[in-house]
Amino acid sequence: MLGLEAKLSKDWEGKSAQELADAPVTAIQGVSEGDAELLLKAFGIKTVRDFGTNKYFRWANSIVTLAD
């Protein structure tokens, strides 16, 4: 799927974008259960969709894009 397999945990490879958006953040390779707990506690992030649409992360990404 668009070359995303290398960025996903093995259990989530081959899933649709819709399934991935609603998946827990641990579906992203390198995000541990401990990381997921911290993201939930700090930002209320539970899913990949929450992670990708978090306003603070989007703001930071915009700043970096403008700086580059």
Side-chain angles (χ1 to χ4, degrees), residues 25-62:
V25 293
T26 55
I28 298 173
Q29 186 178 37
V31 179
S32 69
E33 290 291 337
D35 297 332
E37 289 176 24
L38 292 172
L39 286 166
L40 179 60
K41 186 176 180 180
F43 298 105
I45 292 172
K46 296 178 189 175
T47 66
V48 172
R49 183 184 313 276
D50 295 339
F51 204 7
T53 60
N54 178 274
K55 68 180 179 182
Y56 302 110
F57 298 156
R58 293 179 79 170
W59 293 346
N61 189 17
S62 295

